[in-house]
Each structure stands twice: as C-alpha cells, then as structure tokens.
Amino acid sequence: MDSSEEAKKLWVPDAKDAWRLASVKSQTDTSAVVISADGISEMEVKLEDTAVYDISHSLPLDDLSRYNNLHEAPLLMGLKSRFAAQSIYTHCSDVLLSINPYASIPNLYTLDATPSGGSSSDSEDDDEDEPNPPPRLHNLQACTECGYGGGEEESEYCYQWGEWSRED
C-alpha cells in the first residue's frame, strides 16, 4: 500500500452488511489490523480478503461503473446509499439496476426538466456530445433509440413498461 490517504482505508468482510469500511491501524505483508468506521471494534484481517478503498467510493454517482477500483464492496454500498436516498434506479455502465422499494416514491416517474436529462453528479468526465440521462426506467428507451450504449450491435433490447421488446 502507498502512503496516500485513500490507502489507509480498506473494505473488509462483514457478516451483517457483506462489507464495511475500516481504517488501517497497522499492516504486514499478509494481514492488517483495522478499526471499524465507528471506531468501536478492532480486528485482524488477511489482505487477500479485503479490497482497497478509493475516495471515489464516497461520491454520490448515478453511474457506479465510474468508481475507481470497482469491487463488490463499493458497488453494494453505493446501491445501499442510493436506496436510502430513494434513488432506486442506478446505472452501472449501460446496465440499469433497480431496487424495489415496496413503497410509493413521489415523482419517481415524472420526466426530467433538463434538456439532456443529465445529472450534475456525473458531469466531470462526460463528453458534451453524448447523452447522459439519469437512471430512470423511462429513459431506457431513449437510450436504446439514440445508441447510448455506444455499441455497434445489430440489435438492442429494451424493457419498456413491463414487457421486453427487440429493436432491430
């Protein structure tokens, strides 16, 4: 590990939440002593069982594939934090993930007012010519029609209001 601030934290396995963030107290070539984020518990973990934390894992991104050093831990925590904020739709590259809230969420299916439908949280790396719709089910058809996935495939599939359709 290098001496940067990001390298002082690790994702460690957790029985309850699958992964949790912990600070490194000390480290050898094969293991580390870590302190939980709440500062209460301390434990020794094998480095092979951990994942390196990156500062991008704390950003509220609409597209989780933009995390540096993408791993199961930041992916799950990103989905969890978006779900807590009632953002049940999340992009992961050109895949739209949805978590059923089993509750009504106000304005979930309203159309976005921004011309491109873009989100400010993901704007730093975007090319201005490419559409960047927020993660919403009703934007999936528009993405398919304008080639948002960027591929040259002969056909694309689109899930629209409860049924699959093939765009040839």
Side-chain angles (χ1 to χ4, degrees), residues 66-87:
R66 292 184 172 199
Y67 283 148
N68 295 329
N69 198 19
L70 184 59
H71 178 268
E72 176 186 1
L75 181 68
L76 290 173
M77 291 304 118
L79 289 170
K80 184 178 181 178
S81 66
R82 289 184 55 77
F83 180 79
Q86 294 187 334
S87 297

Side-chain angles (χ1 to χ4, degrees), residues 8-72:
K8 294 181 183 178
K9 293 183 180 179
L10 292 174
W11 290 103
V12 297
D14 183 66
K16 180 182 174 214
D17 292 325
W19 295 93
R20 68 179 163 142
L21 196 55
S23 298
V24 176
K25 182 177 178 182
S26 63
Q27 178 179 333
T28 66
D29 289 339
T30 59
S31 66
V33 176
V34 296
I35 301 170
S36 63
D38 58 14
I40 296 174
S41 62
E42 185 176 303
M43 62 188 237
E44 184 172 356
V45 293
K46 293 179 183 177
L47 288 178
E48 66 187 35
D49 296 336
T50 66
V52 176
Y53 168 79
D54 183 86
I55 193 70
S56 68
H57 299 167
S58 298
L59 298 175
L61 301 177
D62 287 343
D63 185 345
L64 300 184
S65 70
R66 292 184 172 199
Y67 283 148
N68 295 329
N69 198 19
L70 184 59
H71 178 268
E72 176 186 1

Side-chain angles (χ1 to χ4, degrees), residues 100-163:
N100 190 339
Y102 294 103
S104 178
I105 297 177
N107 301 319
L108 182 62
Y109 297 109
T110 59
L111 297 175
D112 299 296
T114 58
S116 66
S119 168
S120 60
S121 65
D122 284 335
S123 61
E124 66 185 49
D125 295 337
D126 292 340
D127 293 330
E128 302 217 10
D129 298 335
E130 292 186 28
N132 185 25
R136 295 284 181 86
L137 187 58
H138 64 266
N139 290 329
L140 192 58
Q141 181 179 13
C143 293
T144 302
E145 289 173 354
C146 68
Y148 176 69
E152 299 276 333
E153 295 86 15
E154 291 183 16
S155 63
E156 295 184 22
Y157 290 86
C158 180
Y159 181 77
Q160 179 182 1
W161 307 116
E163 59 188 54

